[in-house]
Amino acid sequence: DAGVTQSPTHLIKTRGQQVTLRCSPKSGHDTVSWYQQALGQGPQFIFQYYEEEERQRGNFPDRFSGHQFPNYSSELNVNALLLGDSALYLCASSSGTREQYFGPGTRLTVT
Amino acid sequence: AQSVTQPDIHITVSEGASLELRCNYSYGATPYLFWYVQSPGQGLQLLLKYFSGDTLVQGIKGFEAEFKRSQSSFNLRKPSVHWSDAAEYFCAVGANDMRFGAGTRLTVKP
């Protein structure tokens, strides 16, 4: 049973560019959440998708947007990248309001 | 607003010694509480969770945690630490939008 998968593993972008990160949930899960983890800090909630809709959103600007597809996979898009967007981006999946299982993350570096 | 505090940034214990990592939370209702472990450059692995019921919960790798409502705490314990337990440990509260503490880095001395 495959767990949560994320792609790519690493990514280097330049300020002002746009980036798309991808996530496939664990089998049987219908809910995907995204978190940003800056170096030396705990993860911060960006948003959660359920039934292809954004169900809840954390304190992140509109430059951060997402999408969920009918197969429950999800994308995180970040526009107009800033140096401060450099972080590990974690995707987590769950079934309803239960425990979340995390993927290995995508390391984004903005130069 | 919900929040989590992990008072200890870094803890060092000897292999075979007992371990307790502290977690205090602020939450308006009965909280969902979690402990996750993260090895360098990796994602988070769920150690254990508390939703309701028995306040002492058992997790994987020999870890346990006790929910104390009166103290707003959910401390993680292990009776005998192994070198492979060295990692970053995060306490989290919430359901859909989990709030994480800043983490406690555990170093294990041989």
Side-chain angles (χ1 to χ4, degrees):
Chain A
D1 176 25
V4 180
T5 60
Q6 293 186 242
S7 62
T9 304
H10 294 90
L11 206 51
I12 300 175
K13 290 288 189 178
T14 304
R15 276 178 299 176
Q17 286 188 318
Q18 178 264 345
V19 68
T20 298
L21 311 182
R22 295 175 176 82
C23 171
S24 291
K26 185 177 168 66
S27 178
H29 288 182
D30 56 8
T31 302
V32 173
S33 304
W34 287 92
Y35 293 81
Q36 180 195 66
Q37 185 178 21
L39 201 60
Q41 298 183 23
Q44 287 196 299
F45 175 74
I46 302 175
F47 42 54
Q48 184 181 79
Y49 277 82
Y50 172 69
E51 292 189 340
E52 303 180 49
E53 296 287 334
E54 183 183 290
R55 175 155 71 179
Q56 203 156 350
R57 188 179 183 92
N59 189 25
F60 278 80
D62 292 344
R63 298 187 297 110
F64 289 77
S65 64
H67 188 78
Q68 185 179 35
F69 299 92
N71 67 353
Y72 307 120
S73 66
S74 176
E75 288 182 349
L76 164 65
N77 300 293
V78 186
N79 295 322
L81 284 167
L82 304 173
L83 294 179
D85 295 330
S86 295
L88 181 68
Y89 287 85
L90 295 163
C91 169
S93 72
S94 58
S95 177
T97 306
R98 304 299 292 180
E99 62 270 25
Q100 297 183 17
Y101 290 87
F102 284 80
T106 294
R107 173 71 62 186
L108 172 65
T109 302
V110 182
T111 62
Chain B
Q2 56 192 33
S3 65
V4 175
T5 301
Q6 294 181 246
D8 305 305
I9 296 173
H10 184 205
I11 284 182
T12 299
V13 299
S14 297
E15 190 168 16
S18 63
L19 171 70
E20 182 168 26
L21 302 182
R22 296 183 292 164
C23 172
N24 294 99
Y25 68 89
S26 173
Y27 196 75
T30 300
Y32 290 173
L33 292 160
F34 308 87
W35 276 99
Y36 285 87
V37 62
Q38 185 178 37
S39 297
Q42 303 293 314
L44 278 71
Q45 182 182 22
L46 178 66
L47 286 176
L48 47 77
K49 60 187 182 287
Y50 172 80
F51 290 155
S52 65
D54 193 348
T55 56
L56 184 63
V57 294
Q58 303 296 320
I60 62 172
K61 303 184 179 187
F63 286 93
E64 68 177 26
E66 186 171 12
F67 170 58
K68 293 186 177 180
R69 185 187 300 276
S70 62
Q71 298 177 22
S72 297
S73 70
F74 188 58
N75 293 348
L76 182 71
R77 300 193 294 249
K78 186 170 184 177
S80 178
V81 169
H82 188 263
W83 65 266
S84 61
D85 293 325
E88 189 88 19
Y89 291 79
F90 292 96
C91 180
V93 64
N96 297 326
D97 58 336
M98 284 199 297
R99 300 295 175 94
F100 284 82
T104 297
R105 182 160 62 93
L106 174 65
T107 297
V108 181
K109 291 191 303 184

